[in-house]
Amino acid sequence: MRNFRRMDSINIVPFIDIMLVLLVIVLTSATFIAQGKIPIAIPQAQGSDKITKPLKSIEITIDAQGQYYLDKMPMSLGEIQSEIVKISKDTPILLRGDQKSTFEKFVALVGVLSSSGHDNVDVQVEQSR
């Protein structure tokens, strides 16, 4: 007669392995989704971890060639100015600029936002390493 031992526990190591692989896949794909569709290189700033905020409802981007985008739609500065006037002054705005875009383009955009009375503006930067 054989002695059979009673199984008191379940081996969960394979389950943990599968969950870790799924976690890596989710985190990898989430970083691609968060960057947006317009390829820009975000400038770095010291202490930017203190000023990082979630993405806002209105996003204005300046790419490396100096082209403006309002919520991923290419526009001229004049078109952005006419669209911004229609938006409530309490609406938060996120500015994203490529490192290679000229400072003149950024200053012109800030001037448009200032003249239209929008002061709830954030600038997206990366933390320097």
Side-chain angles (χ1 to χ4, degrees):
M1 187 170 200
R2 293 178 130 174
N3 262 344
F4 289 105
R5 287 186 11 201
R6 184 174 170 199
M7 184 186 244
D8 289 332
S9 64
I10 297 174
N11 186 5
I12 63 168
V13 173
F15 178 72
I16 292 172
D17 290 342
I18 291 170
M19 294 310 292
L20 287 175
V21 169
L22 291 175
L23 180 65
V24 167
I25 291 170
V26 167
L27 291 178
T28 304
S29 64
T31 57
F32 289 118
I33 294 169
Q35 290 297 321
K37 303 257 187 237
I38 303 167
I40 61 169
I42 306 263
Q44 297 180 352
Q46 293 290 345
S48 62
D49 56 334
K50 296 178 182 113
I51 60 174
T52 301
K53 294 185 180 180
L55 292 178
K56 301 298 180 182
S57 59
I58 300 295
E59 183 179 303
I60 302 174
T61 305
I62 306 171
D63 67 6
Q65 290 75 32
Q67 172 66 45
Y68 295 105
Y69 296 86
L70 178 63
D71 286 335
K72 298 181 177 71
M73 300 265 312
M75 293 188 174
S76 69
L77 189 59
E79 291 171 329
I80 289 178
Q81 185 171 15
S82 64
E83 290 295 320
I84 289 294
V85 172
K86 301 174 190 173
I87 300 170
S88 168
K89 295 185 182 354
D90 296 333
T91 303
I93 298 173
L94 177 69
L95 299 183
R96 299 174 67 228
D98 192 282
Q99 293 175 3
K100 296 180 181 165
S101 64
T102 62
F103 188 63
E104 178 183 6
K105 295 282 188 177
F106 181 79
V107 170
L109 179 59
V110 170
V112 165
L113 294 174
S114 177
S115 67
S116 65
H118 286 83
D119 57 356
N120 191 2
V121 178
D122 292 318
V123 178
Q124 183 178 7
V125 295
E126 250 181 25
Q127 182 175 2
S128 61
R129 296 177 183 117

